[in-house]
Amino acid sequence: GENVEQHPSTLSVQEGDSAVIKCTYSDSASNYFPWYKQELGKRPQLIIDIRSNVGEKKDQRIAVTLNKTAKHFSLHITETQPEDSAVYFCAASKTNFGNEKLTFGTGTRLTIIP
Amino acid sequence: SAVISQKPSRDICQRGTSLTIQCQVDSQVTMMFWYRQQPGQSLTLIATANQGSEATYESGFVIDKFPISRPNLTFSTLTVSNMSPEDSSIYLCSLLGGATAETQYFGPGTRLLVL
């Protein structure tokens, strides 16, 4: 089955700086890669996603890049703000195969230092 | 996007007992999922629940321990049976949504503590 590795497990950055979180996946058939943000005591919330036919996607301060050959994808947050502090999870799935289950990475605890 | 609710939001249970968690959606969905999130950990899929068929369980999870019902397209239940302290976790249901029905959206979760 699919295996998703995520690094780093913790990350502290100064407010205003950029944060990068990296994930690798094992199943070359995976074609959908969402990122979730989970604040303390809350449910995971989708913040951005990318499909395998796209190399990069951006939404304001958040961007995701995908390298299918190397089987890795990354989350980039620019101009970080205190409200970006949370745990971030990457995930991978094979959609349109009737098997849309998500395999999650282990999570990154991001702390923004004011 | 669909509104997902779960009951109870939290519970404290004694070992050996069972708890049934309900997941209600305000629109009809084909696929629902149940996840477990142990303290400080990532999310692990327990099973996929399609209406009208038996749930499909992931490796390490069995129907006798986590029976699931899916009586209609807006509702599902997960039962945690014969609980032990190791079952203390957050249990979340999710569903597929979005324009291409590829995105999973999560319920608020049920925090379970087993003493």
Side-chain angles (χ1 to χ4, degrees), chain B residues 54-83:
Chain B
E54 294 290 323
T56 302
Y57 289 82
E58 296 300 303
S59 176
F61 298 96
V62 295
I63 188 171
D64 289 346
K65 175 68 175 177
F66 297 101
I68 288 171
S69 77
R70 186 78 205 276
N72 57 55
L73 292 173
T74 64
F75 187 77
S76 180
T77 67
L78 169 76
T79 299
V80 186
S81 303
N82 188 25
M83 288 183 286

Side-chain angles (χ1 to χ4, degrees), chain A residues 32 36 38 51 95 101 105, chain B residues 37 42 58 102-104 106:
Chain A
Y32 177 66
Y36 287 85
Q38 188 175 32
R51 291 166 181 81
T95 64
K101 61 181 182 181
Chain B
Q37 187 174 27
S42 184
E58 296 300 303
E102 292 176 305
T103 303
Q104 283 198 29
F106 288 87

